[in-house]
């Protein structure tokens, strides 16, 4: 598994400057407004950038001034460097690409453009050497994507790595949310960030060689929702192009619809389907914002165990404000997010300093006592 080992980020939303070590499993804790969701937003931007939709992301986010740290009057651009632990892409001479780096500068039309975009090799033959290859300047979308159709190994590997950064936010389960409506049955290859295509995604798993994954998902949902027996997924509408998240109750032939599921049950279904899909299909980096919302404590513990299991096959970054959810993880997994003045700070607590506290208290209780920070001022 290729890991994103380190992220260096400057000038993005509340993050003036950050140098963060990342591990297979990362749990961000902090008060409201500390900056957890801003880091989630950055990974969403990376995924959109890899898909060639950076300008669309900027527009949908309120344009560039909303993304820059305290606006263009304070910050002229966003600088990021993503350092990979297991470098797969290679330069033409065979040396490994360790990092992808870019600087986005503010433009007069309230957008952002690439002032620099480059690949770097820092470690060659167990020695440190600096090698920087520029991909271009002045472009509005990432240029490494131009080499993907040409079959260049460096571009293909980087494209897979960055496209594999996926941020999920399953909060909208209102009556008008897309997950409760009919969806296009062909939109089924990857679970969307809001879970809107859950029915189509599950239908594909159910009717392909990946049916074993579908069965695991159903069995696990039953643990969180004993009233649930199975989904009843059947394309309908003109040319069988539409599908709805129908389901059945144990011992009954009646078909129920998604509008008859609680908000918490729908969110649990999305999380379970995301984390129990076939291992080879898991995104390389799964980012989930506050999975505890609306979940029963048992379901929350179940999701925590699934996140830990999935971290063996994918890198996980999750934010939370739940002390009971935090209890399911180890101190080494924790990243504390605080708001210091006008900016967000990210740090890992000292495990050795926590050990005396953890002899008497759980990790969540230690957080509640403000021993490790991450609470309101």
């Amino acid at each position: 598994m290729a890991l994103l080992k380190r992220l260096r980020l400057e000038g993005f939303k509340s993050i003036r400057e950050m140098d963060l070590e990342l591990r297979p499993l990362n749990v961000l804790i902090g008060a409201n407004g500390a900056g957890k969701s801003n880091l989630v937003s950055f990974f969403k931007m990376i995924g959109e950038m890899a898909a060639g939709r950076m300008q669309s992301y900027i527009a949908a986010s309120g344009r560039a001034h909303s993304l820059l740290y305290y606006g263009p009057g304070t910050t002229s651009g966003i600088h990021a460097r993503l350092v990979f632990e297991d470098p797969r892409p290679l330069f033409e001479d065979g040396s490994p690409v360790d990092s992808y780096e870019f600087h986005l500068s503010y433009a007069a039309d309230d957008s952002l453009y690439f002032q620099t975009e480059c690949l770097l090799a820092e470690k060659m033959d167990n020695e440190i050497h600096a090698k920087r290859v520029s991909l271009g300047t002045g472009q509005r979308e990432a240029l490494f994507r131009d080499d993907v159709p040409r079959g260049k190994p460096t571009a293909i590997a980087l494209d897979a790595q960055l496209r594999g950064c996926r941020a999920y936010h399953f909060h909208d389960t209102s009556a008008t949310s897309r997950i409760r409506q009919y969806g296009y049955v062909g939109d089924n290859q990857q679970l969307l960030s809001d879970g809107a295509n859950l029915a189509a995604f599950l239908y594909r798993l159910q009717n392909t060689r990946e049916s074993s994954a579908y069965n695991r998902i159903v069995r696990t949902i039953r643990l969180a929702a004993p009233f649930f027996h199975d989904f009843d997924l059947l394309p309908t509408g003109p040319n069988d192009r539409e599908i709805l998240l129908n389901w059945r109750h144990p011992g009954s032939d009646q078909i129920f619809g998604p509008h008859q599921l609680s908000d918490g049950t729908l969110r649990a279904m999305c999380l379970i389907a995301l984390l129990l899909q076939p291992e080879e299909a898991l995104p390389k980096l799964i980012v989930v914002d506050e999975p505890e919302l609306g979940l029963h404590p048992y379901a929350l513990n179940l999701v925590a165990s699934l996140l830990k299991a999935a971290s063996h096959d994918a890198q996980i970054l999750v934010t939370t404000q739940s002390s009971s959810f935090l209890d399911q993880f180890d101190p080494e997994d924790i990243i504390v997010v605080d708001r210091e003045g006008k900016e967000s700070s990210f740090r890992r607590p000292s495990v050795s300093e926590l050990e005396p506290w953890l002899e008497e208290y759980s990790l969540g209780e230690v957080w509640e006592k403000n021993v490790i920070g991450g609470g309101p001022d």
Side-chain angles (χ1 to χ4, degrees):
M1 179 175 65
L3 292 178
L4 176 60
K5 179 173 66 174
R6 184 175 296 275
L7 171 62
R8 297 170 184 169
L9 180 60
E10 299 174 14
F12 184 81
K13 294 194 174 184
S14 66
I15 305 171
R16 185 180 69 84
E17 185 176 0
M18 180 189 76
D19 187 352
L20 181 64
E21 175 199 358
L22 292 170
R23 298 178 183 174
L25 179 58
N26 307 270
V27 182
L28 275 66
I29 60 172
N32 288 328
K36 304 184 303 296
S37 294
N38 290 340
L39 185 58
V40 172
S41 296
F42 174 77
F43 284 112
K44 182 177 180 180
M45 185 180 79
I46 289 294
E48 294 297 293
M49 180 188 301
R53 297 189 296 259
M54 189 182 80
Q55 296 303 321
S56 296
Y57 171 82
I58 294 170
S61 301
R63 304 199 67 81
H65 71 272
S66 298
L67 298 177
L68 294 168
Y69 174 76
Y70 280 86
T74 300
T75 306
S76 61
I78 299 167
H79 186 87
R81 185 172 182 180
L82 292 82
V83 184
F84 301 105
E85 183 178 55
D86 181 19
R88 300 290 178 86
L90 299 173
F91 287 118
E92 297 298 329
D93 62 4
S95 58
V97 177
D98 299 309
S99 309
Y100 173 62
E101 184 176 68
F102 60 85
H103 185 93
L104 300 173
S105 289
Y106 182 74
D109 60 351
D110 203 12
S111 65
L112 298 168
Y113 70 92
F114 284 88
Q115 181 175 318
T116 60
E117 182 186 7
C118 61
L119 301 174
L120 300 99
E122 289 187 299
K123 190 171 184 180
M124 299 161 54
D125 299 326
N126 296 320
E127 297 182 8
I128 301 300
H129 299 277
K131 179 173 181 177
R132 181 186 297 261
V133 174
S134 174
L135 298 177
T137 183
Q139 63 272 21
R140 295 279 177 154
E141 298 288 347
L143 274 184
F144 77 86
R145 300 178 62 255
D146 293 346
D147 286 333
V148 174
R150 303 188 187 108
K152 289 193 175 182
T154 300
I156 292 173
L158 183 61
D159 182 65
Q161 189 73 40
L162 298 185
R163 278 181 182 268
C165 293
R166 295 192 169 270
Y168 296 89
H169 196 283
F170 300 131
H171 293 190
D172 184 9
T173 51
S174 64
T176 58
S177 62
R178 294 197 299 163
I179 193 173
R180 294 189 188 268
Q181 312 302 320
Y182 280 94
Y184 173 46
V185 72
D187 186 9
N188 58 24
Q189 293 306 301
Q190 295 173 322
L191 187 64
L192 295 178
S193 61
D194 60 354
N197 67 335
L198 180 61
F201 180 75
L202 291 171
Y203 179 73
R204 178 182 63 81
L205 294 181
Q206 183 184 38
N207 292 279
T208 64
R209 61 182 179 82
E210 297 165 325
S211 59
S212 59
Y214 172 84
N215 293 331
R216 286 197 304 271
I217 291 168
V218 168
R219 289 196 301 268
T220 307
I221 292 174
R222 289 174 187 159
L223 297 176
F227 60 84
F228 170 84
H229 175 65
D230 201 350
F231 293 103
D232 196 288
L233 304 171
L234 190 65
T236 186
N239 300 317
D240 289 340
R241 290 169 58 88
E242 296 180 337
I243 193 166
L244 189 67
L245 192 67
N246 288 328
W247 59 281
R248 287 183 280 111
H249 195 282
S252 172
D253 293 330
Q254 183 176 351
I255 304 300
F256 297 91
H259 54 287
Q260 292 166 295
L261 289 169
S262 70
D263 294 347
T265 301
L266 267 178
R267 294 180 188 123
M269 286 177 171
C270 289
L271 288 163
I272 291 168
L274 169 65
L275 298 171
L276 286 181
Q277 65 183 295
E279 295 173 2
E280 63 274 11
L282 282 168
K284 294 183 181 297
L285 173 60
I286 297 174
V287 182
V288 184
D289 195 16
E290 296 185 358
E292 70 268 17
L293 188 63
L295 294 192
H296 184 275
Y298 178 79
L300 192 57
N301 294 343
L302 178 63
V303 168
S305 67
L306 293 178
L307 286 165
K308 289 190 287 187
S311 68
H312 296 289
D313 300 293
Q315 197 167 12
I316 304 292
L317 187 145
V318 60
T319 74
T320 186
Q321 295 195 78
S322 167
S323 58
S324 60
F325 184 63
L326 184 62
D327 282 338
Q328 308 303 313
F329 299 96
D330 298 323
E332 294 86 354
D333 303 328
I334 307 305
I335 297 171
V336 179
V337 186
D338 282 304
R339 193 67 173 253
E340 298 180 352
K342 293 183 177 181
E343 62 186 89
S344 299
S345 69
F346 298 75
R347 62 177 177 82
R348 291 190 181 273
S350 169
V351 176
S352 60
E353 291 178 5
L354 287 178
E355 287 178 351
W357 288 91
L358 294 175
E359 291 177 0
E360 297 187 34
Y361 303 102
S362 71
L363 188 56
E365 290 172 330
V366 171
W367 180 28
E368 290 177 345
K369 294 178 181 297
N370 205 29
V371 173
I372 54 179
D377 292 336

